[in-house]
Amino acid sequence: MKLFEYQAKDAFRQCGIPVPAGVLAGSIDEVSTALDEFTMPCVVKSQVLHGGRGKAGLVRVVDNADAAREYARSLFEERGVRRVLLEGAVEFENELYLAITVDAAAAKATILACAEGGVDIEELAATAPEKIVTQMVDLDRGLSGFHMRNIAFGLGLTGDRIKAFNKVLSALYQAFRKFDAELIEINPLFMTKEGTFIAGDGKLSIDDNSIARQPGYEITRDHFDHEIEYEAALAGIPYLQFDGDISLMCAGAGLTTTVFDLINYAGGSVANYLEFGGPNYTRAVDAMELCLKNEQAKVILIVTFGTVARADVIAKGLADAVAKFKPSIPIVTCIRGTNEEEAFQILRDLGLTPLSETEEAVQQAVDIAAGRIS
Amino acid sequence: MSIFIDQSNKVVVQGMTGKEGSYWTKHMQDMGTNVVFGSTPGKEGQQVEGIPVYHTIRRGLRDHDVDTAMLFVPPAYTKDAIFEALDAGIRKIVTIADGIPLHELLQIRSAAKSCGAMVVGGNTSGVISPGKAMMGVLPYWIERVYKPGRIGVMTRSGSLTNEVTAEVVKAGFGVSTLMGVGGDSVPLTRFAEILPLYQADPDTDAVVIIGELGGTMEEEVAQAMESGAFTKPLVAFIGGRTAPKGKRMGHAGAIVTGSKGTVEAKVEALTSAGGRVAKKPSMLGPVLRELIT
């Protein structure tokens, strides 16, 4: 789960990483109240999860309260932003980049640092990899002095700045561990003339499998591009909204992704990706309810090939869903795996023609969506 | 021959008394797997399918020998259970747990590497050598998917495995050993670490890999082929070619950022290393037939 900047900065604060004074505001009135406490210039920052806010015009430095209010108003009213973070502007001598992520192959944490911050690090890694200092850390051994020396000297820091930097790095590593992060990033990390460090921006992404032990982070509507995606997430069903007209209900991430590809190859387009495999395979009723909310859908395509996700249970759930919602759009099924004979019978009783080849089912769905068959 | 497991392995099932544990213990036995004892804290003295259960592996080891562990343990307790198995000297471990915390995956993999163990999973349906032995939750009774044969299969996805393996069987082949590495962003064993086992297996003629977008496992396979460490015919199917950028589709690993981890990059790496890539699952069989005559 990606956190908003204000949440990341809260986490930073808890672990002792210096951040600028800031106030979160959800309306123009709150902005006005907050501005009374600010010395200008300040920064108005949209709290959205998309990267590249600067380029998208969602962050601006302003030098008076009127400009701040006017800009915040445009964000709320024209850009659909729900919250802004007001922060005091920081005078800096230099901007650095500092992040910790995970190296899956090495099974270690990886620290990435660069003396030129404020940059697109992927771009820099591609064009000037020598500018990025990396250091792997074994989680069981933890962050050692030599790790920090490798980075600080690698960045060209000298004197007291090394000590100040190490404090930030060590706090960042602590936050990485504490919050089960898959990525924690400060970009830019401001270095002031006095040699102190302040986190200008903050990214923190908590591993989804660790959310249960990180209380206080609920998913919100702002985490999703689309209303149905949010509803599905609350129901615990993976769902993505697209522009096409074939609604997918598939069991298993790999198979669902492959069916997505096969539809595109066959000239069709996907209305939504929906996975009801794993522990969700008994929830055909909930899954179909979500699919039917998607008004673009012209056909529902169901493809499964499961073991634990038994074919007969899926087919029975589908029968319940059809009885409950009486969908007006056609349904194409390719439900195979454990107890598929029973499943086929249930589907025939529903008046459906069960298919057993994925690509045949995909072609049929594409033809129905295109109006070639009904 | 088979890789990783056959009838000679002595298996402990951790979490054997649970619903999944007891159900699949029976299936593993039916397949030929030699399950020696089970462990569930608090359940010593019980039996599952006639197999004794102990509180801990250590207590079971007073009466039995084991060299392999199969876990039916929830994700939150998986690290502890794997460390218990490693501590008991077990060097082959399979865990099906889906949802092991990321930092714990790193710790497990790191610990396994440092003691020379192979831990397969998480979020996998397991490992099978059809007709010989099985560890996991695999529908070996569906013959059109798990027919014994001479093709090795490595996969990141359970559901797609059945789909793809059915195509292999339809083309007239069967499976020597199928290894599910799982769909986590940090697989505890990676494709490239299994390849040497297939290379050395006289009963595996070719390897099929079922990959997906995200991560670098397919690229590591390409490197092993380029370096000459793997020389048998290899065909891959990689799902997610048309996935839109920035959307997280399915497995944790399946997220695309920039050019890293795209299906195009994987196809390019495997093809230039001499492998073949089937665009659709139905093309896998014909490509295999071309390679093995």
Side-chain angles (χ1 to χ4, degrees), chain A residues 180-230:
Chain A
D180 284 296
E182 51 186 18
L183 170 73
I184 188 163
E185 180 184 275
I186 308 176
N187 185 29
L189 173 61
F190 295 128
M191 184 166 75
T192 66
K193 276 199 286 290
E194 296 75 34
T196 61
F197 291 87
I198 298 171
D201 194 358
K203 275 200 189 124
L204 175 53
S205 183
I206 297 176
D207 162 44
D208 288 338
N209 291 334
S210 306
I211 283 291
R213 59 186 195 194
Q214 295 291 347
Y217 296 105
E218 276 83 45
I219 50 167
T220 68
R221 176 67 185 83
D222 293 5
H223 285 91
F224 301 89
D225 294 332
H226 197 280
E227 187 63 35
I228 309 177
E229 290 184 355
Y230 175 51

Side-chain angles (χ1 to χ4, degrees), chain A residues 27-39:
Chain A
S27 66
I28 293 294
D29 287 348
E30 286 177 25
V31 169
S32 296
T33 313
L35 282 168
D36 295 342
E37 299 166 22
F38 266 81
T39 49

Side-chain angles (χ1 to χ4, degrees), chain B residues 192 195-196 199 219-232 269-270 272-275:
Chain B
L195 270 187
Q199 176 73 21
E219 288 85 339
E220 290 159 27
V221 167
Q223 272 170 17
M225 294 169 76
E226 245 158 23
S227 72
F230 185 76
T231 55
K232 294 183 180 181
L270 286 168
S272 69

Side-chain angles (χ1 to χ4, degrees), chain A residues 105 177 207 261 340 358-359, chain B residues 102 109 144 163 240 242 282:
Chain A
R177 293 290 285 130
D207 162 44
D261 286 341
E340 63 188 18
T358 304
E359 286 170 36
Chain B
L102 176 67
R109 180 163 156 80
R144 73 174 198 277
E163 180 78 29
T242 64
S282 62

Side-chain angles (χ1 to χ4, degrees), chain A residues 4 25 73 77 118 121 156 167-168 183 185 194 243 287 289 295 303 305-306 309 326 362:
Chain A
F4 294 98
R73 187 188 308 279
E77 289 171 7
I121 199 74
K167 254 181 146 165
V168 173
L183 170 73
E185 180 184 275
E194 296 75 34
D243 297 332
E289 187 170 16
E295 288 166 4
V303 184
F305 203 148
K326 302 188 175 56
V362 164

Side-chain angles (χ1 to χ4, degrees), chain A residues 105 138 140 176-177 181-182 207 213 229 252 255 257 260-261 264-265 273 305 307 336 340 357-359, chain B residues 99 101-104 107 109-110 137 139 144 157 159-160 162-163 170 240-242 244 247-248 250 279 282:
Chain A
D138 186 294
D140 281 335
F176 169 79
R177 293 290 285 130
E182 51 186 18
D207 162 44
R213 59 186 195 194
E229 290 184 355
L255 185 57
T257 309
F260 185 97
D261 286 341
N264 283 307
Y265 295 157
Y273 169 111
F305 203 148
T307 312
R336 300 144 300 163
E340 63 188 18
E357 297 288 337
T358 304
E359 286 170 36
Chain B
L102 176 67
H103 288 199
E104 297 191 358
Q107 290 170 305
R109 180 163 156 80
S110 181
V137 297
R144 73 174 198 277
S157 159
S159 56
L160 195 50
N162 296 342
E163 180 78 29
K170 204 198 286 176
R241 204 186 283 238
T242 64
K247 289 263 188 188
R248 192 184 290 242
K279 198 176 171 191
S282 62

Side-chain angles (χ1 to χ4, degrees), chain A residues 319-340:
Chain A
D320 293 344
V322 168
K324 183 167 179 188
F325 302 118
K326 302 188 175 56
S328 57
I329 55 173
I331 297 172
V332 178
T333 66
C334 186
I335 297 174
R336 300 144 300 163
T338 306
N339 297 350
E340 63 188 18

Side-chain angles (χ1 to χ4, degrees), chain B residues 10 44 189:
Chain B
K10 296 189 278 289
E44 189 162 296
T189 292

